[in-house]
Amino acid sequence: MAPGVGGKRKRGDRNFSQDSRDENLRPSPHRPGNLSLAQHAGYPQPPQHQDFNRDQYEARGGGRRRGVRGGRGGGSHRSPINSPVTILTQSRLLSGPPDAVSPSPVHAQPQVEAALTVPSQNKPSINSMGTRTVEQMSDPSPYFYGFVTDENRKSWSHVGRKSIVAAGHEACQAENVITLYRIFQELVTSASYGLLDAFDAGSVVKEILEGSPDEESSTDVMVDTCSIDASSLFLDCLSTLTEASSLDPIVLQSLVLSTGISPQLMRQILDTPLLESLGLIRSTFVRVGIRQQTNLLYRQSNYNLLREETEGYSKLTTELFATSSGESLSSEVIEETFERVKGMIGAFDLDVGRVLDVTLDVFAAVLVKQYRFFVKYLRASSWWPKDRTTDSCSFQRALSTLPKWALPGSAGKPMNEAEKEDLALARRDRDGEFWQRAKEIGIAAFFEIGGRRASQGELDVALSNADSLVLSEREEDRVWMTVTKTLPPSGNKVAAQILGFKLRFYSSSARDESDVLPVNLIYLAALLIKIGFISLRDLYIHLWPAEDAMEKVREEKMKENAEKEKLSRSGGGAGNALMNAGVLTDGTINPREAREAARLQEIDAIKNQSSKPENSTESAIHKSQAYKEDLPEPAEQKVQLLKSLLCIGAIPESLYMLGRFPWLIDAFTELPEHIHRILHHCLHKIYEPLKPLKDCSGLREQSRVLDPDTSTAGKGQIKFVDAPPRKTMRWAQLDRDDTNEAIDYKFYWDD
C-alpha cells in the first residue's frame, strides 16, 4: 500500500548507536577512524564519539564518488578507502611509525604533542620567490610526520632539507616503496597545509627523482640511483591525496611543476579533474573524449553500397566505359584512370570490394573488345597479387603468362616490324628451352609455364612458410609442390570470392527460372586465371557441382551418351513416325461441351482444396519446395571453365582439373576438340613447312558468285561478280569458319 500524504514512511523502531542525539534518526556516516585497520596497539587513539556533521563529512571526501581515472591505474573498483596507500595514511593518524618502516636514527623522532598541534588558518600569501604559499592552514585531522618533522622544518635550510633528500635516496637504493611513499605523502601534505613552501617541497621531490650528484663529475651531471619508478609513485600519491580532500590548485601547480616530471607522464597517470586544475588539459577535454569514444565505439561507419546511393558507382562505371573505349592504352593513361578511381572512392566513400566488383562486371561486359585495357588496368592497380615467380632458370620470364604489352611502363602502341621479329626470336628460344625441358621431365614441364619453377631450396622455404595458412590450403600447397615441383599459383583471394559468389548464385535455390549462367563470367574467370590475377584454387570451391556430386554427373553423362549412340545406329531403337505420333483427338465431341466440362471439373477441384484445412506455414514450405523442384538443373560450371581454360591456353590449371577427373574427356564429347587445338598449336611449326600445296594461295580464294541484279545482264545471259570479302570477328570460343555469312570467327586472345 502506498504511503500517506505525510511523506516517506519511516521506521521508528530503529536506533543507531553513536547518533542517539539525532532527532531524525539518520544512520551514522562512514568513519574510517572506527575501522580495525586504523587501530594500532600501543598508540593513542582518537575519541570514538566525535561529532561529524554532514558538511565536514562531505568536505573530507566521504560523500563523493571517485571520478573516472584519466590515466594509468584508474578504474571504478579503486577508491581512497580500499587502496593500500590510504590504508597506510589512516594507520598513521595520531600514531607513531611501525618498527618495519621507521626512519633512520639520524632523523629526530617527533613528539605526539607536536603532531596534535593544530595550526591556525591564514590566507594565502606570496613568498619572496613569487610563489603562492598557504601559511598554517587548518589540518582537518591530526597527522603524524615521520620525516617532515618540526625539527626538520625549523632547520630546513641547514639540515632538514638534506636529511629528507638523503632518506629518499636511501629508500630508492633499497627499493623500499613504502618509505619512499611516506616521504612523498608528507611533502605533499606539508605543502598543502602551509607547513612547507610548495616550491621547496617540489624541489625536494625533484632531487629525489633525479638522484644525487656524482662527486667525481660535474655538479650538473646527475646519477640516477633510483631503480624504482619513483615518478609514477609520486603521481599516484598525489592523485590519492587530492581525492581524499580538496587542495588549493595554485599550490598544487607550484608543487607539481617544480618536480620536473614530464607533463606527458602526468596526463597518463593523474585524474582528469586534477589535470584540469593543473592546467595540463582543456576544460572541454572530458566532453571531447566522450564524443570521440562515441564515434569510435558506437557509431557505425557504413560504406556507400550500391543500394544506398548510386552517384559514385555511376561515375565509376562511366569512367571505366569511357576510358576503355579510348584510343590510347599507354601506362600514363592507365595510371591516371586508377588515380581517378581512387579519388572517387574517397569522395563518395565507396566500398573498395564493391568497386572491384563493379570493375569486374564492366570487364565481363566488354571482355572481347576491351580486354587489353582492363588487363593493363588490373596490373597497375593495388589489387594485383604479389608476384611469386622465381629466377631459377633463364627462360622464366619468357614463360610468363602476362604479355609484354601488359607490363607496367609499356607504351601500349602496336608493334612495328622490328619488334615483331624480336618477339618471334624470343618465342623461338623459349620454345626450344621448353621442349628440352619436356624431354627431361615429361608432361610436368607444362606446370612450369607461368614462371613458377623453383629449386629444391626454394620449395623447402615455401613449404615451411605454408604452415601459416589454414589446414586445407596448407595441404593443397604441399600436394601441389610435391607433385609438380613448382610453386603454387598465387592470386587475389577477394576477387576470386567475388567471382565465386556470382557463379554460386546461378547454382543456388535463390535463382529464378530465367536466371541462366552468363557465359561471360566463365570467360572472365578463365582470363583472370590465365594472367595470374586469381587462382584456380581460390575459385574452385565455388564451382558447381561439388566434389561429391561429380560421380553422379559422370553416371548421368555416360547414360546419356549411351542412349545417343544407340539412337544414332540404324534400327537401333529409333521408332517410326507413326509410333512417335501422339494420340489422335475424337472429332465427334462438341468443343463447347468439352470446355464446359473442363470448367466444372476445375470448380470442383477448387472447392475440394478449400474444404481441407492446411497450415499456412506448411503450405508455404510445400510451395517453396515445389518451386525449387521446378527449377532447371544448373549448368556444369567446372566443365565450362575447363573448356575456357583450354581455349585461352591455361595449361597447368587445365591439367589440374583433368587429373582430378580423367573421365571428363569421355563424358563430354566436345572436350577432345579443345585438347586437339592445343596439340595442333604445339606441332604447327613442324608440319607447317611440310603442308602439301602450301604455295597454292588460290585454293582458299572465293569463287565468283551470281549477281542478284539481273537488270544489267542481257537476255539469256548470267552475270557473275566477285564474292564479298570475308569478315573476321572475335569471340571467346574455338575458331569457326562460317561459309554462309562470309564471317570467320577467331578466338580473341592471340598472345
Side-chain angles (χ1 to χ4, degrees):
M1 182 175 178
V5 185
K8 183 180 292 187
R9 191 169 47 183
K10 299 182 180 179
R11 295 183 61 179
D13 57 344
R14 296 184 61 180
N15 295 325
F16 302 95
S17 60
Q18 306 173 9
D19 293 296
S20 59
R21 295 172 297 174
D22 193 354
E23 297 179 357
N24 296 327
L25 298 178
R26 296 178 59 84
S28 61
H30 176 67
R31 294 167 181 159
N34 296 340
L35 298 176
S36 59
L37 296 175
Q39 312 300 326
H40 294 275
Y43 300 101
Q45 303 296 333
Q48 297 295 326
H49 300 283
Q50 298 181 10
D51 189 7
F52 286 89
N53 57 24
R54 185 174 182 85
D55 296 337
Q56 291 177 346
Y57 171 65
E58 293 182 353
R60 294 188 56 192
R64 295 185 294 112
R65 294 178 61 89
R66 179 176 180 178
V68 179
R69 293 294 301 267
R72 184 176 60 189
S76 59
H77 299 287
R78 183 179 178 185
S79 64
I81 300 295
N82 299 327
S83 63
V85 179
T86 307
I87 293 174
L88 175 64
T89 306
Q90 295 171 354
S91 65
R92 294 167 55 216
L93 292 172
L94 285 177
S95 61
D99 297 336
V101 294
S102 60
S104 176
V106 181
H107 306 288
Q109 294 293 337
Q111 302 296 330
V112 178
E113 293 80 5
L116 293 175
T117 302
V118 180
S120 61
Q121 182 177 2
N122 294 329
K123 296 182 180 180
S125 61
I126 307 299
N127 59 6
S128 60
M129 301 181 63
T131 305
R132 179 177 175 178
T133 61
V134 180
E135 297 179 357
Q136 300 297 320
M137 293 178 59
S138 61
D139 193 348
S141 63
Y143 191 87
F144 174 79
Y145 293 97
F147 296 93
V148 189
T149 60
D150 292 340
E151 290 77 4
N152 288 336
R153 290 198 299 268
K154 293 178 181 179
S155 60
W156 179 258
S157 58
H158 301 285
V159 180
R161 179 189 180 96
K162 295 181 181 180
S163 63
I164 296 176
V165 173
H169 292 164
E170 182 181 353
C172 287
Q173 294 176 357
E175 298 184 0
N176 193 341
V177 180
I178 298 179
T179 302
L180 185 61
Y181 197 98
R182 289 180 59 192
I183 296 174
F184 290 155
Q185 189 175 11
E186 292 183 9
L187 289 173
V188 175
T189 306
S190 301
S192 60
Y193 296 143
L195 301 179
L196 280 181
D197 182 69
F199 184 82
D200 290 340
S203 60
V204 171
V205 174
K206 182 178 180 181
E207 292 183 13
I208 296 175
L209 297 180
E210 290 180 350
S212 59
D214 192 358
E215 298 178 357
E216 298 180 359
S217 60
S218 175
T219 57
D220 296 335
V221 181
M222 309 299 291
V223 179
D224 189 5
T225 60
C226 192
S227 58
I228 60 179
D229 191 1
S231 300
S232 301
L233 186 65
F234 171 76
L235 295 178
D236 192 25
C237 172
L238 180 64
S239 178
T240 305
L241 293 177
T242 53
E243 288 174 356
S245 60
S246 58
L247 303 179
D248 190 0
I250 299 180
V251 175
L252 289 179
Q253 287 183 1
S254 177
L255 172 65
V256 173
L257 296 180
S258 60
T259 58
I261 300 177
S262 172
Q264 183 178 1
L265 183 61
M266 296 182 189
R267 296 187 181 100
Q268 294 176 0
I269 299 179
L270 297 181
D271 296 338
T272 302
L274 181 56
L275 290 174
E276 185 177 348
S277 63
L278 294 176
L280 296 177
I281 59 175
R282 299 179 181 178
S283 59
T284 59
F285 177 79
V286 178
R287 184 169 64 254
V288 174
I290 295 174
R291 187 181 305 162
Q292 293 293 333
Q293 291 180 0
T294 304
N295 294 336
L296 294 176
L297 300 179
Y298 301 103
R299 181 172 297 176
Q300 185 177 3
S301 178
N302 292 327
Y303 285 103
N304 179 12
L305 302 180
L306 189 59
R307 66 176 182 270
E308 296 177 355
E309 185 179 350
T310 60
E311 181 182 1
Y313 294 103
S314 300
K315 292 181 180 297
L316 172 65
T317 306
T318 304
E319 175 69 24
L320 294 176
F321 271 113
T323 312
S324 62
S325 302
E327 297 181 356
S328 177
L329 294 178
S330 61
S331 299
E332 291 77 10
V333 175
I334 301 298
E335 293 175 358
E336 291 176 359
T337 303
F338 184 65
E339 291 296 329
R340 287 194 294 269
V341 170
K342 290 195 296 184
M344 294 178 187
I345 293 175
F348 297 98
D349 198 15
L350 304 181
D351 180 37
V352 180
R354 186 60 178 161
V355 170
L356 179 59
D357 185 12
V358 174
T359 303
L360 295 180
D361 288 341
V362 177
F363 191 3
V366 293
L367 173 67
V368 177
K369 189 176 181 180
Q370 307 295 345
Y371 72 94
R372 287 178 175 267
F373 169 81
F374 283 98
V375 170
K376 290 176 64 68
Y377 175 80
L378 292 178
R379 181 61 183 86
S381 67
S382 304
W383 295 307
W384 190 260
K386 183 180 179 181
D387 190 11
R388 297 180 62 177
T389 58
T390 60
D391 296 330
S392 299
C393 59
S394 59
F395 65 104
Q396 286 289 346
R397 295 185 178 181
L399 291 177
S400 177
T401 56
L402 197 63
K404 185 178 179 181
W405 51 263
L407 298 176
S410 61
K413 299 179 180 178
M415 292 185 297
N416 51 29
E417 296 298 330
E419 293 177 348
K420 291 181 180 179
E421 292 179 1
D422 296 340
L423 181 60
L425 292 176
R427 287 179 175 177
R428 186 180 63 182
D429 297 339
R430 176 203 63 186
D431 295 342
E433 296 185 13
F434 171 77
W435 289 113
Q436 183 64 31
R437 182 66 176 170
K439 291 180 181 180
E440 299 175 0
I441 61 175
I443 198 174
F446 286 96
F447 287 98
E448 297 179 356
I449 296 177
R452 295 196 295 265
R453 178 183 174 185
S455 61
Q456 187 61 39
E458 293 170 340
L459 291 177
D460 295 339
V461 174
L463 285 173
S464 61
N465 294 335
D467 295 336
S468 60
L469 302 176
V470 296
L471 182 61
S472 59
E473 294 182 359
R474 180 169 68 247
E475 187 63 26
E476 291 180 3
D477 286 353
R478 289 182 181 277
V479 173
W480 181 282
M481 288 184 283
T482 303
V483 175
T484 64
K485 303 300 181 182
T486 59
L487 295 176
S490 60
N492 190 325
K493 294 185 178 181
V494 176
Q497 290 180 358
I498 292 175
L499 276 179
F501 293 154
K502 294 178 182 294
L503 296 174
R504 181 173 290 185
F505 168 77
Y506 292 101
S507 61
S508 64
S509 59
R511 57 186 169 91
D512 297 332
E513 295 182 0
S514 59
D515 292 332
V516 183
L517 175 65
V519 292
N520 58 351
L521 286 181
I522 299 293
Y523 300 154
L524 175 63
L527 174 58
L528 296 181
I529 292 174
K530 168 68 176 178
I531 64 178
F533 185 68
I534 64 175
S535 173
L536 178 62
R537 181 188 63 182
D538 300 329
L539 184 65
Y540 190 81
I541 58 177
H542 301 280
L543 300 177
W544 192 90
E547 291 292 293
D548 52 357
M550 289 298 292
E551 189 63 28
K552 181 180 178 181
V553 174
R554 176 185 180 182
E555 295 176 358
E556 293 178 355
K557 293 300 295 184
M558 290 299 184
K559 184 178 179 180
E560 181 182 348
N561 293 339
E563 292 178 356
K564 288 182 179 180
E565 184 179 359
K566 182 179 179 180
L567 293 176
S568 63
R569 298 174 184 173
S570 58
N576 53 26
L578 183 59
M579 294 179 61
N580 295 331
V583 180
L584 299 178
T585 60
D586 190 0
T588 60
I589 301 177
N590 189 357
R592 183 176 181 181
E593 295 178 356
R595 289 195 298 269
E596 184 67 19
R599 188 178 66 83
L600 294 176
Q601 291 179 359
E602 185 178 355
I603 293 174
D604 294 340
I606 294 175
K607 290 182 179 179
N608 295 332
Q609 184 177 2
S610 61
S611 62
K612 297 179 181 180
E614 186 177 2
N615 191 1
S616 59
T617 305
E618 295 179 355
S619 178
I621 294 175
H622 292 325
K623 290 181 180 179
S624 177
Q625 292 178 354
Y627 178 75
K628 292 179 181 179
E629 293 177 356
D630 294 340
L631 290 176
E633 192 71 14
E636 289 82 2
Q637 298 176 0
K638 291 183 178 179
V639 179
Q640 293 189 14
L641 181 60
L642 176 59
K643 294 178 184 177
S644 298
L645 291 175
L646 291 172
C647 282
I648 204 169
I651 300 180
E653 290 78 8
S654 302
L655 293 177
Y656 173 79
M657 298 186 68
L658 289 174
R660 295 180 71 94
F661 308 106
W663 51 267
L664 289 176
I665 301 177
D666 299 330
F668 296 89
T669 56
E670 62 272 17
L671 279 178
E673 185 179 4
H674 293 75
I675 299 176
H676 295 162
R677 176 174 175 268
I678 296 178
L679 296 178
H680 283 295
H681 181 75
C682 293
L683 302 176
H684 81 283
K685 291 185 178 181
I686 298 177
Y687 67 75
E688 190 71 25
L690 305 177
K691 184 184 298 184
L693 303 178
K694 63 183 183 66
D695 297 332
C696 299
S697 58
L699 293 177
R700 292 188 55 84
E701 292 181 359
Q702 301 185 54
S703 60
R704 296 168 62 87
V705 297
L706 182 64
D707 189 2
D709 187 9
T710 59
S711 60
T712 58
K715 185 177 181 180
Q717 295 181 356
I718 299 176
K719 184 178 180 182
F720 291 90
V721 294
D722 295 336
R726 300 185 66 85
K727 299 179 181 179
T728 302
M729 297 188 66
R730 298 284 182 174
W731 69 346
Q733 300 181 17
L734 296 180
D735 299 345
R736 291 287 185 271
D737 294 334
D738 192 353
T739 57
N740 295 329
E741 299 180 1
I743 299 177
D744 295 335
Y745 292 93
K746 301 294 183 183
F747 189 69
Y748 73 97
W749 185 268
D750 52 0
D751 294 290

